[in-house]
Amino acid sequence: MLTLKASFTVKPAGPTPLEPTYLSELDQVIATSHEPTVYFYRPTSGQLVLNPIEILKNSLSKALTIFYPLAGRLQWTGRGRLEVNCYSMGALFLETESKAKISDFGDFTPTSKTRALIPSVDYNKPIDELPLLLVQVTKFSCGGISLGLGMSHVLVDGRCATHFVSEWARIARGEEPENLPFLDRTVLKLEEDDLTPPRFDHLEFGKPPMLIGQTNNVEEQKKETTVVMLKLSKEHIQKLKKKANEFLSVYTSSKPFTRYEAVAAHMWRCASKARLHEFEQLTSVRIGVDFHSRMVPPLPKHFFGNAVLPMRATTTSGELLSKPLGYGCSKIREAIEKVTDEYVRSFLAYLKRENDLSKFRFSHVVGSTQGAFLGNPNMVITSWIGVPLCGVDFGWGKEIYMGPVTVAFDGKSFIFPSHDEDGSFNAPFRLQVEHMDAFKKYEAVAAHMWRCASKARLHEFEQLTSVRIGVDFHSRMVPPLPKHFFGNAVLPMRATTTSGELLSKPLGYGCSKIREAIEKVTDEYVRSFLAYLKRENDLSKFRFSHVVGSTQGAFLGNPNMVITSWIGVPLCGVDFGWGKEIYMGPVTVAFDGKSFIFPSHDEDGSFNAPFRLQIEEFEHEGASELTFLASKDFRTTENASGGNIEDAWNNKDEESKDHITWCSGISNVIETKSKPGLSYRAI
C-alpha cells in the first residue's frame, strides 16, 4: 500500500528552444503509452543520508534543459501525425512511501506491486495533456528507495532512455554532462516531394499468424495470463549458444549465432511447445533491430529518438520444434539481416504513404480487447542486451536492480543482463496460465523429485546419478508422425550429473539437465536412434529391466531414477455409459527409483506421483520433501521459508536451495509396503 506524500511538476531549469520537435515516421507508429522501468536502491548505513527527493528534483530540472523534448507534450498535426510541443510544461514527479521492504519484491518479477511504483496515467485524456516523463520516488520501510520511470515511447527507445538516465545521474552527483543528445530527428525525414514507393513488402505490417481454426483472437485475449522471471545462467546460455551452432553450415553462411539469437530461439521453441501447437501452426516472434550503425551514413552517436525496427521471424511450430535450435536462430538471423540502410528507408517510405497510422500504433495489452493481438501463437521479445542498464548512481550508490515494471501481454518477454554481473540473463515472460504451467512445471517437478531422491539416498558428493525420462517425438519428426499414429513414439532419454552438483546448485540446475536431454530429441536424433538399434543383432539386452522381487535385467534404481510423465495425456473422463471414472492410474510401480507424474482427477491443477524407494531411504529427510507434489497450485504453494517453488526454480529463494519442505494441500499419504521398497502416492 502506497501513500502519496507530494506531487510536483518539474520544469527545465533554464530556457529551451520553443519550436516543435519533428517526429519520424517510425516514431509515429510507436504506442503513445509510457515505457515503465524501475530502479531499486538499498539504504546506505541503514538509511539514505542525503535527501533523495530534492537531489532528484533539482538534477532532473537541469537534465530537462538538455533533454528538453521530454518536458514537452505531444500534439496532433495533419494526417494523424504527431509532433512535440516544446513549451516546457514539465515532468510529473511523485513522492510516495510504502510500508513494504525491498525484499518483499522477491526476484522483482513484474507484477501489480511493481506497477504501483510508477505514476498511473489516464490515457482517455487529450494527448496534449499527458506528461512525456513520469517519475515516482518511493521510500520503503527498510530505508531503501525505488525510482520508477515512465518515458513516452514515442520519444525514446531503450538506448535513449538509458542515455537520459545516465546523464541525469551524472548531474545529480554534481558532475558535468558528458554525452549531449543529438535531438534533430530530421536525419530520418524523407523529402516532402519524395514519392519513391517502398522497395520491400514489409510483412512486419501484416497481420501476425492466428491459431488454426480461429477467425479472430477475442477468446485468446480474454484468457488469464501470468508472468515469471526466468533466470538463465552463464553456463546455460553458453550451452544454448553451443547447441545453436552445432549445424552452423546448414543454417547460415555467416558468423556464428549470438547469445541473443540462441536464447530468443530457445524461448520461442519453449513457448510453442507449451502452447501445444499443431505441426502446421504458423508462429512468429517479433524482435527489435537497432539500425543506428546500419544507416549510410550511420546515425549520430547520441541520436535521441527511436531507431529500432520491429521485425518478424515466422515459421511453423512443427519445423521450429522438430529441427535443431539453429533453425530457429536462422529465422531470427534472417529477420535481423534484412535491416539495411535501403530497408530502413523503404520502411519509412511505406509509412509515409499511409494516411492512417493508428492501425500500427496500438496493440493489445492485458485486460483489453483493443489493438492488434501479438500473443498466442506468437511472441514479442525485447532485448536490452548491450544497453548500458546497470550502474546508475545518483549519489547514494548503484542500483541493486533495474528492469521493466510490466510485461504487457501474452507472449511478451524481455531479455537483459543480470545485475549480478555473472554473465546470466533475466527474462521476465508472460504466458497464459495454462501454458505457463506446461512451460516449466514438468521439468521443475521432475528435477525436484530427482534432488529429493538423491538427498534421501545419502549420496556422496561425487556420486553420479541419472534420471531417465520419456520424450514424445510425434511432432519432432519431419514430417511429423500421423496425428493418430498407433505405436510407441517416446524415446527414453537420460539426464546425468553428480548428486553433489544436483543438491548444491539451485533447482534450475536439475531442470537444465532434464531440458538438455529433452532437446536432444530431433528428427535427426530419432532416426539415428533407430539406425543404432537396427545394427544390433541382440536387442534383448535393452528389452528387460529389473523389477521388484527379481535380480534379472538392467537395474535402474539407486543411484538413478526413471520418471514417466503422463502430463498432457488425456487420462480423465473415460465414460462407458455409467459415468466417468473416479480415478485412473498405474497398478504397479515396478522398481526402486521408478515414478509416474500425472494430473489429479480433482482437476485442480495438482499432480499424483506414485514413487518407489527403498524403505531405509524413506526414513531420511529427502523422502518427506516429496509430499510437495500434493500441492494444489504449483506456482503459489508456500514452503516453510515463505517462498514458493517458482522462487526455488528461479534461484531466488536461498533457503530452498538447501531444504524444501512442501506440505500444503496434503489430505492423505498412502503407504504400500513391499520388499525391498515403499510406494508413496500423494493425494
Side-chain angles (χ1 to χ4, degrees):
M1 185 70 180
L2 293 178
T3 301
L4 177 63
K5 305 297 291 184
S7 176
F8 309 94
T9 297
V10 178
K11 297 185 178 184
T16 61
L18 299 178
E19 62 269 15
T21 293
Y22 167 81
L23 296 175
S24 74
E25 296 294 337
L26 175 57
D27 295 327
Q28 302 290 345
V29 294
I30 304 294
T32 53
S33 57
H34 295 75
E35 192 66 24
T37 55
V38 65
Y39 296 76
F40 285 92
Y41 293 88
R42 281 202 178 100
T44 302
S45 301
Q47 292 291 328
L48 289 168
V49 178
L50 304 173
N51 184 345
I53 302 299
E54 289 306 313
I55 291 174
L56 289 170
K57 282 170 51 186
N58 293 335
S59 56
L60 175 59
S61 181
K62 295 175 182 177
L64 289 177
T65 306
I66 303 168
F67 295 84
Y68 62 87
L70 286 172
R73 298 290 185 270
L74 295 176
Q75 63 184 18
W76 295 107
T77 64
R79 298 180 65 224
R81 265 59 173 179
L82 293 162
E83 65 181 10
V84 182
N85 178 340
C86 294
Y87 273 69
S88 298
M89 284 73 88
L92 176 64
F93 190 112
L94 302 183
E95 178 186 356
T96 62
E97 289 185 356
S98 171
K99 294 180 180 179
K101 301 175 182 178
I102 289 179
S103 59
D104 293 335
F105 291 88
D107 64 358
F108 303 109
T109 298
T111 63
S112 58
K113 289 196 302 182
T114 56
R115 179 61 183 83
L117 299 178
I118 70 163
S120 59
V121 179
D122 181 2
Y123 289 106
N124 291 317
K125 288 185 176 180
I127 201 166
D128 57 7
E129 295 181 13
L130 302 179
L132 300 180
L133 174 60
L134 313 171
V135 180
Q136 180 173 319
V137 180
T138 302
K139 297 179 181 179
F140 298 104
S141 62
C142 61
I145 66 170
S146 68
L147 174 63
L149 301 176
M151 286 189 239
S152 173
H153 206 344
V154 174
L155 262 69
V156 301
D157 57 18
R159 182 191 289 225
C160 296
T162 56
H163 177 198
F164 166 72
V165 174
S166 65
E167 293 303 315
W168 176 14
R170 193 183 306 277
I171 294 170
R173 297 195 303 269
E175 301 173 18
E176 290 297 316
E178 186 173 274
N179 300 308
L180 298 180
F182 184 89
L183 297 173
D184 184 6
R185 301 177 187 226
T186 60
V187 294
L188 291 178
K189 186 176 183 179
L190 301 178
E191 295 299 328
E192 291 299 327
D193 58 352
D194 185 356
L195 300 178
T196 304
R199 299 183 182 182
F200 300 89
D201 291 335
H202 296 291
L203 299 177
E204 58 268 24
F205 292 115
K207 290 185 177 180
M210 193 177 297
L211 285 174
I212 292 173
Q214 293 191 2
T215 57
N216 60 59
N217 295 304
V218 174
E219 292 305 313
E220 291 300 303
Q221 293 179 33
K222 293 179 181 177
K223 291 182 178 178
E224 183 184 0
T225 60
T226 187
V227 178
V228 65
M229 178 71 83
L230 304 177
K231 187 174 178 67
L232 300 168
S233 69
K234 180 180 180 180
E235 292 73 23
H236 191 189
I237 295 166
Q238 288 174 336
K239 288 176 181 177
L240 286 175
K241 185 178 176 182
K242 181 179 179 181
K243 187 171 184 179
N245 288 295
E246 282 179 348
F247 307 100
L248 188 63
S249 62
V250 176
Y251 295 113
T252 182
S253 59
S254 58
K255 61 184 180 181
F257 295 120
T258 64
R259 295 179 303 163
Y260 166 64
E261 289 164 337
V263 170
H266 175 68
M267 293 178 69
W268 189 15
R269 284 162 55 98
C270 290
S272 291
K273 187 184 300 182
R275 287 162 162 174
L276 301 178
H277 288 162
E278 296 183 27
F279 189 93
E280 302 82 6
Q281 176 64 59
L282 281 173
T283 174
S284 74
V285 58
R286 198 177 81 173
I287 55 176
V289 182
D290 187 313
F291 59 80
H292 281 81
S293 62
R294 295 171 182 264
M295 300 294 288
V296 181
L299 293 180
K301 187 175 182 180
H302 299 296
F303 173 77
F304 197 73
N306 286 291
V308 174
L309 232 57
M311 300 298 292
R312 186 185 296 166
T314 302
T315 186
T316 64
S317 288
E319 287 191 295
L320 187 64
L321 294 176
S322 63
K323 293 183 178 180
L325 181 62
Y327 172 77
C329 294
S330 72
K331 304 304 287 186
I332 292 172
R333 171 73 61 84
E334 287 174 17
I336 293 172
E337 292 188 338
K338 280 184 179 179
V339 182
T340 61
D341 177 83
E342 186 180 25
Y343 194 91
V344 174
R345 296 186 188 282
S346 175
F347 183 100
L348 298 174
Y350 182 99
L351 293 176
K352 185 179 178 181
R353 295 164 66 93
E354 290 285 328
N355 289 320
D356 179 17
L357 295 179
S358 63
K359 58 186 175 184
F360 305 126
R361 190 175 284 138
F362 303 104
S363 61
H364 159 81
V365 296
V366 171
S368 168
T369 56
Q370 302 300 310
F373 181 68
L374 302 176
N376 189 19
N378 309 304
M379 283 187 69
V380 176
I381 300 178
T382 296
S383 170
W384 288 346
I385 302 170
V387 177
L389 302 174
C390 305
V392 177
D393 181 1
F394 287 90
W396 44 82
K398 299 177 181 180
E399 79 286 351
I400 59 170
Y401 176 82
M402 178 274 178
V405 169
T406 61
V407 182
F409 50 83
D410 172 39
K412 171 69 175 178
S413 180
F414 295 83
I415 302 175
F416 53 95
S418 165
H419 275 62
D420 296 334
E421 297 183 324
D422 57 359
S424 62
F425 287 167
N426 290 327
F429 190 15
R430 183 180 289 274
L431 280 180
Q432 293 173 17
V433 170
E434 61 184 287
H435 298 150
M436 185 65 79
D437 289 349
F439 184 78
K440 64 181 185 179
K441 185 178 286 188
Y442 166 63
E443 291 166 359
V445 171
H448 180 70
M449 294 177 70
W450 190 14
R451 283 163 56 101
C452 290
S454 290
K455 185 181 291 187
R457 287 163 164 173
L458 303 180
H459 288 162
E460 296 183 20
F461 191 95
E462 300 80 7
Q463 175 62 57
L464 281 174
T465 174
S466 72
V467 58
R468 197 176 81 173
I469 55 176
V471 181
D472 187 313
F473 59 80
H474 282 80
S475 63
R476 295 170 181 261
M477 301 293 289
V478 181
L481 294 180
K483 189 173 183 180
H484 299 295
F485 172 78
F486 194 72
N488 288 295
V490 175
L491 230 57
M493 299 298 292
R494 185 183 297 165
T496 303
T497 186
T498 64
S499 288
E501 287 192 294
L502 188 63
L503 294 175
S504 64
K505 293 184 177 181
L507 183 62
Y509 173 77
C511 295
S512 72
K513 303 303 288 187
I514 293 171
R515 174 76 59 82
E516 287 173 16
I518 293 172
E519 292 191 338
K520 282 183 179 178
V521 182
T522 61
D523 177 84
E524 186 177 22
Y525 192 93
V526 174
R527 295 186 189 281
S528 175
F529 181 98
L530 298 176
Y532 180 96
L533 294 177
K534 185 177 180 180
R535 295 165 64 91
E536 290 286 328
N537 291 322
D538 179 16
L539 295 178
S540 63
K541 59 185 175 183
F542 305 123
R543 190 174 288 134
F544 302 106
S545 61
H546 159 83
V547 295
V548 170
S550 168
T551 57
Q552 303 299 310
F555 182 69
L556 302 175
N558 191 14
N560 308 306
M561 284 187 67
V562 176
I563 299 178
T564 297
S565 170
W566 288 347
I567 301 171
V569 177
L571 302 175
C572 306
V574 178
D575 183 359
F576 287 92
W578 45 84
K580 298 177 182 179
E581 79 287 351
I582 59 171
Y583 175 80
M584 179 273 178
V587 173
T588 62
V589 182
F591 51 84
D592 171 39
K594 171 68 177 178
S595 179
F596 295 83
I597 304 175
F598 52 96
S600 164
H601 276 61
D602 296 334
E603 298 183 335
D604 58 357
S606 62
F607 286 163
N608 290 328
F611 189 16
R612 184 181 289 272
L613 282 181
Q614 295 173 19
I615 291 176
E616 62 185 38
E617 294 165 0
F618 269 106
E619 298 171 355
H620 300 148
E621 179 183 18
S624 65
E625 297 176 16
L626 291 167
T627 57
F628 93 91
L629 290 167
S631 75
K632 180 176 180 180
D633 189 336
F634 174 85
R635 292 171 293 103
T636 58
T637 302
E638 292 188 351
N639 65 23
S641 64
N644 56 47
I645 193 167
E646 183 175 304
D647 292 333
W649 188 71
N650 287 320
N651 184 23
K652 287 298 179 185
D653 183 343
E654 295 297 325
E655 290 187 34
S656 58
K657 292 179 184 177
D658 301 318
H659 182 78
I660 308 174
T661 302
W662 307 95
C663 55
S664 175
I666 302 296
S667 58
N668 191 20
V669 176
I670 296 176
E671 300 183 12
T672 306
K673 290 188 177 181
S674 62
K675 293 184 178 180
L678 279 175
S679 177
Y680 268 43
R681 179 164 66 86
I683 302 177

